[in-house]
Amino acid sequence: METQVTCLRCNNTQAGLPSAPVPGELGKLVLENACGTCWGEWLKAQVILINENRYTGANPEHVKALLGHMRAFLNLPAEDAG
Ligand SMILES: [Zn+2]
């Protein structure tokens, strides 16, 4: 069930995501602070980043880098560790 969120990227209050798109605290942050529109934009940006940097989901360093990009893209607050 989608709930209304106030998005940190676009500042609009609108429908968020139906569920956390990534595991753990970061997924919770996305769920609570990103709207569905901006998430869709991130998914498109992500494809470009993956192609440009040849990221692979099998490489933990690549996954970490991509999540860092996601955090910046969605204007999510930085976390202390991890
Ligand atoms: Zn948004």
Side-chain angles (χ1 to χ4, degrees), residues 6-12 29 32-35 74-77:
T6 299
C7 178
L8 290 177
R9 181 166 184 265
C10 66
N11 282 324
N12 292 327
L29 269 179
E32 292 174 352
N33 299 292
C35 72
L74 296 172
N75 207 19
L76 300 174

Side-chain angles (χ1 to χ4, degrees), residues 45-59:
Q46 179 179 238
V47 171
I48 295 166
L49 278 168
I50 288 171
N51 288 336
E52 282 180 348
N53 297 289
R54 300 184 181 278
Y55 287 147
T56 162
N59 185 328

